[in-house]
Amino acid sequence: MRPFTQHRGRVAPLDRANVDTDAIIPKQFLKSIKRTGFGPNAFDEWRYLDHGEPGMDNSKRPLNPDFVLNLPRYQGASILLARENFGCGSSREHAPWALEDYGFRAIIAPSYADIFYNNCFKNGILPIVLPAAVVDQMFQETAAAEGYSLTVDLAAQTVITPGGEGFAFEVDGERKHRLLNGLDDIALTLQYTDEIKAYEARREQVSPWLFN
Amino acid sequence: MLRTLYDKLWDAHVVHVEPDGMTLLYIDRQLVHEVTSPQAFEGLRINGRKPWRADTILATPDHNVPTVNRRAGIADPVSRIQVETLDANCRDFGLTEFAMNDPRQGIVHVIGPEQGFTQPGVTLVCGDSHTSTHGAFAALAFGIGTSEVEHVMATQCLWQKKSKVMLVKVDGVLAKGVTAKDIALAIIGRIGTAGGTGHAIEFGGSAIRALSMEGRMTLCNMAIEAGARAGMVAADDKTIDYMRDRPYGPKGEQWQAAVAYWRTLVSDPGARFDALVELNAAEIRPQVTWGTSPEMVAAVDGRVPDPTEAPNAVKKADWERALRYMGLKAHTPISEIALDKVFIGSCTNSRIEDIWEAAEVVRVLAGAGRKVAANVKLALVVPGSGLIKAQAEAEGLDVIFREAGFEWREPGCSMCLAMNADRLEAGERCAATSNRNFEGRQGQGGRTHLVSPAMAAAAAMYGHFVDVREVML
Ligand code: SF4
């Protein structure tokens, strides 16, 4: 996994609440057996005017000129500004894969759905929670200034605006450590092999019917 | 120390705790389907890893499988590759799989309990958010992403932080024709789709005790639509009766020991919950969603709401967008909403009891001379598993549906998310017993109204929503 330390990038605002993972990556693209290549189909139903299917040449498809990510001023954005309960619905990890492949490194929203939030950390995306009022302010500033960019510093746990204003955010210590260092979860867990085996032996004594 | 059911399940699975509370939790069971697993198997392969305990994994293809003419295989080549990839991965890693043409194949969340693979007291995960379903068995069950699927396969564990626990207490007696699905939608209407975020929900109260295991599964299935990763119901006699003689359940001496343990899987009286929501079952009416989020729900005798009456500006914009997408006007009576398609199925409502409920409505209305209404182009019944399908056929239910004009299909997810050929066309309106009415969920531009099986069956026969309590008098 790609480590996340500090990132400065352009902000794209997605001004709607309860954006679900079906919207982030529609189901027809979940048929892929790969982990990569979902970026061109991120937000497919909002982003294009036609119906997308796997295997299409996305560069030839008609873009929806009204969809915010298609506006010239938000091209190259790497920070997604969103509203509450972002990423609700299906557990598909294809959603963070698509956002990452599109080029997003961080998301800022007042709240996230639990599974999506967790999935982001596994894929080098930092989901930042800021108070609704601060998020509101950022929506206004993004609209007001073309090229509006933010700096995210994971080690310091702050988001810094172009005006130099800093906003602190919370992140769980263990998740932060792993993201900062881009650590492989499985290799880390396997360091606990003895403890897992000891637990397993105890469990087999107590609940033998789970070990048939 | 008084403990909730969640606390007990949690405590029994702790392998290791970090100072900040991050916990390595042991996972007893994993269900696997074709959509969220290929990248996990690929990860294992790249790193030369094997499943820690292959015997704790059960796999089946459900999302992509066709519901007609299976002998001919899967026509869509991309879907076919995904299903074949699952077959190959299960073979390579030595996992049990109920492949597409196995009579036991079905939706993961239906076959787990049916096989006794889901058991009280276990931790159970699947790369699928509706894994909350299995909490109906006093189990800790929740959906995970694909990286975590790989992690559980490789280590039998998962890093988790303890959630808060919400008690949703439903007391009283449901009116006839009102079901677990209506309870679920009424709860979501009350607390919202983010109401349970950060929480596990325990459902309790006399109305929950009165539900069958099927009803409890429907309810726990929808916990995720209230934002809660896990839903659960305490174990009781119904739980234990359901477990008897299941193929993967405990037998003989082990059965006795298991039952003794299962009986402890209840919240201690007086245990503290972080949040409490109370509903009176007698007040719950059949529910119909009108929007693009399960919280956008009304009673069947209600009306489509007016966005100018929304509680705040964000909600107002949401409601306006939803009504535009749904092609509905404020103040329209729910009963005047006409339908193009009807879908009875999904991991929410495709178990035998759901099929019984729908069949009973069809039988009574057909007896009064009705058939599927002319404006309904397609009314599908898709059982949740091959075994349920066989049971329903043995009881002659398929004939009741077919004669009334329904199609009776092979088991799978089908039009719940339209990854196979069953889907809505743009602008089509559907009464569905599934769990999500998101934009495009059942097909791009499709409009979904979530209801119970009885309500869906009645809507098919009338061509618009009707109050099932009235037509079944
Ligand atoms: S029936 Fe629908 S919700 Fe359930 S597992 Fe299948 S696709 Fe998911």
Side-chain angles (χ1 to χ4, degrees):
Chain A
M1 185 179 76
R2 180 156 58 143
F4 187 110
T5 49
Q6 217 190 47
H7 177 78
R8 184 183 144 78
R10 182 174 286 205
V11 178
L14 187 60
D15 193 3
R16 50 200 283 178
N18 299 313
V19 171
D20 58 76
T21 54
D22 279 71
I24 297 172
I25 183 84
K27 66 238 156 197
Q28 60 271 34
F29 304 106
L30 311 191
K31 296 178 185 181
S32 165
I33 56 171
K34 300 207 200 76
R35 219 177 241 273
T36 50
F38 294 99
N41 301 111
F43 302 107
D44 199 274
E45 293 184 1
W46 295 344
R47 193 162 151 201
Y48 300 98
L49 292 171
D50 62 346
H51 174 78
E53 283 292 332
M56 285 167 91
D57 181 352
N58 296 296
S59 64
K60 300 226 165 70
R61 296 175 55 201
L63 290 171
N64 173 3
D66 297 332
F67 183 53
V68 64
L69 294 186
N70 289 335
L71 301 182
R73 61 186 291 181
Y74 299 122
Q75 296 316 299
S78 58
I79 299 176
L80 184 65
L81 189 60
R83 295 287 186 186
E84 63 256 27
N85 201 27
F86 188 81
C88 60
S90 150
S91 63
R92 59 189 69 165
E93 199 162 319
H94 311 66
W97 293 339
L99 294 174
E100 203 258 357
D101 201 52
Y102 181 94
F104 289 117
R105 300 293 328 270
I107 310 171
I108 299 175
S111 62
Y112 301 86
D114 290 337
I115 302 179
F116 174 82
Y117 183 77
N118 203 29
N119 281 341
C120 283
F121 285 96
K122 314 278 176 199
N123 293 284
I125 298 178
L126 178 61
I128 298 168
V129 180
L130 287 176
V134 174
V135 171
D136 240 1
Q137 176 191 331
M138 289 176 170
F139 267 101
Q140 284 164 22
E141 290 176 5
T142 308
E146 187 159 347
Y148 183 79
S149 296
L150 291 168
T151 303
V152 176
D153 186 335
L154 176 55
Q157 294 182 212
T158 46
V159 179
I160 302 152
T161 68
E165 211 177 343
F167 294 101
F169 61 87
E170 290 295 315
V171 56
D172 181 85
E174 189 58 34
R175 283 190 173 122
K176 174 178 170 181
H177 171 68
R178 289 175 190 203
L179 195 52
L180 277 174
N181 299 293
L183 298 175
D184 168 7
D185 267 1
I186 295 178
L188 283 177
T189 304
L190 288 172
Q191 294 174 356
Y192 297 94
T193 294
D194 291 346
E195 275 180 81
I196 301 171
K197 289 204 163 131
Y199 170 89
E200 208 161 43
R202 287 197 305 276
R203 183 146 184 80
E204 186 164 5
Q205 292 273 305
V206 182
S207 301
W209 59 89
L210 293 173
F211 289 79
N212 287 326
Chain B
M1 173 77 178
L2 299 173
R3 293 188 300 165
T4 63
L5 169 59
Y6 175 79
D7 295 329
K8 292 182 185 181
L9 293 168
W10 179 273
D11 293 348
H13 291 89
V14 173
V15 172
H16 174 91
V17 190
E18 290 287 317
D20 69 348
M22 210 34 134
T23 301
L24 193 60
L25 209 62
Y26 190 81
I27 302 300
D28 297 307
R29 293 281 185 262
Q30 179 165 205
L31 288 160
V32 169
H33 64 69
E34 78 277 21
V35 179
T36 53
S37 65
Q39 299 85 353
F41 285 115
E42 182 196 53
L44 290 181
R45 235 181 236 111
I46 290 171
N47 293 292
R49 292 175 177 138
K50 288 192 320 251
W52 181 285
R53 274 181 70 193
D55 64 309
T56 61
I57 300 172
L58 177 62
T60 199
D62 53 5
H63 285 61
N64 275 288
V65 296
T67 56
V68 284
N69 196 18
R70 283 218 177 141
R71 298 279 156 224
I74 304 176
D76 173 359
V78 196
S79 289
R80 188 174 62 238
I81 289 171
Q82 202 167 50
V83 170
E84 287 171 356
T85 303
L86 180 68
D87 297 343
N89 281 326
C90 291
R91 213 163 39 237
D92 291 356
F93 289 101
L95 308 181
T96 306
E97 185 201 11
F98 298 165
M100 186 170 80
N101 288 318
D102 188 305
R104 299 165 297 178
Q105 177 270 342
I107 305 171
V108 273
H109 308 309
V110 174
I111 68 165
E114 184 173 81
Q115 293 292 325
F117 181 81
T118 303
Q119 295 178 15
V122 300
T123 43
L124 183 152
V125 295
C126 174
D128 195 289
S129 58
H130 291 101
T131 309
S132 59
T133 309
H134 309 265
F137 290 84
L140 178 56
F142 51 90
I144 55 177
T146 299
S147 297
E148 291 181 321
V149 169
E150 181 184 343
H151 190 279
V152 174
M153 285 180 179
T155 68
Q156 207 64 38
C157 292
L158 210 51
W159 289 100
Q160 290 289 303
K161 252 208 167 144
K162 214 169 166 183
S163 333
K164 290 185 268 188
V165 194
M166 174 187 282
L167 176 64
V168 175
K169 201 160 168 281
V170 191
D171 281 311
V173 180
L174 287 176
K176 195 165 179 294
V178 181
T179 67
K181 180 62 162 288
D182 302 301
I183 301 180
L185 288 170
I187 292 168
I188 296 164
R190 166 86 76 86
I191 68 174
T193 49
T197 302
H199 290 80
I201 295 181
E202 179 174 342
F203 298 99
S206 60
I208 308 300
R209 299 259 68 84
L211 290 177
S212 65
M213 290 313 292
E214 281 83 356
R216 295 175 189 181
M217 284 188 255
T218 301
L219 192 60
C220 290
N221 174 276
M222 297 287 285
I224 185 67
E225 307 314 330
R229 280 181 84 175
M232 59 192 74
V233 176
D236 61 8
D237 289 342
K238 285 183 188 165
T239 321
I240 290 161
D241 286 344
Y242 183 101
M243 290 306 300
R244 227 177 278 280
D245 302 321
R246 300 273 158 187
Y248 287 80
K251 310 258 157 48
E253 263 174 42
Q254 286 190 346
W255 168 261
Q256 300 302 334
V259 169
Y261 174 57
W262 295 344
R263 294 237 178 250
T264 68
L265 299 172
V266 297
S267 287
D268 294 330
R272 207 188 69 80
F273 290 88
D274 300 287
L276 172 68
V277 175
E278 288 181 284
L279 274 82
N280 179 354
E283 286 171 5
I284 300 175
R285 289 167 286 167
Q287 305 280 304
V288 181
T289 65
W290 51 265
T292 52
S293 159
E295 71 184 28
M296 296 175 176
V297 66
V300 63
D301 51 3
R303 288 168 184 268
V304 175
D306 187 336
T308 62
E309 287 158 24
N312 57 52
V314 174
K315 281 247 168 357
K316 177 169 177 274
D318 264 13
W319 289 13
E320 282 167 353
R321 186 163 25 225
L323 291 189
R324 222 175 305 129
Y325 181 86
M326 294 297 289
L328 289 174
K329 290 212 168 55
H331 308 293
T332 306
I334 297 289
S335 59
E336 284 177 14
I337 299 174
L339 298 156
D340 303 304
K341 288 185 176 167
V342 172
F343 170 60
I344 298 174
S346 89
C347 58
T348 314
N349 283 128
S350 64
R351 298 180 182 81
I352 193 66
E353 193 181 89
D354 303 314
I355 309 280
W356 286 339
E357 241 173 52
E360 179 58 14
V361 171
V362 174
R363 192 186 61 78
V364 169
L365 295 178
R370 284 187 181 271
K371 279 192 176 307
V372 168
N375 58 305
V376 174
K377 289 178 248 179
L378 178 68
L380 279 186
V381 186
V382 186
S385 74
L387 297 180
I388 291 169
K389 178 168 185 268
Q391 181 181 348
E393 286 170 359
E395 295 171 4
L397 306 185
D398 57 324
V399 180
I400 294 179
F401 284 116
R402 280 212 178 96
E403 286 183 347
F406 286 82
E407 294 197 15
W408 176 253
R409 298 285 186 89
E410 300 287 339
C413 295
S414 179
M415 211 155 71
C416 172
L417 94 165
M419 266 184 92
N420 68 355
D422 310 334
R423 67 182 65 171
L424 300 182
E425 300 304 326
E428 280 183 342
R429 191 179 293 289
C430 180
T433 65
S434 45
N435 43 52
R436 287 191 175 135
N437 51 355
F438 299 161
E439 285 185 19
R441 171 78 179 183
Q442 293 193 283
Q444 190 168 3
R447 296 161 171 168
T448 303
H449 297 272
L450 304 175
V451 289
S452 72
M455 283 287 291
M461 303 294 270
Y462 279 83
H464 57 86
F465 289 114
V466 290
D467 189 337
V468 69
R469 293 170 304 178
E470 286 168 14
V471 300
M472 290 297 283
L473 283 180

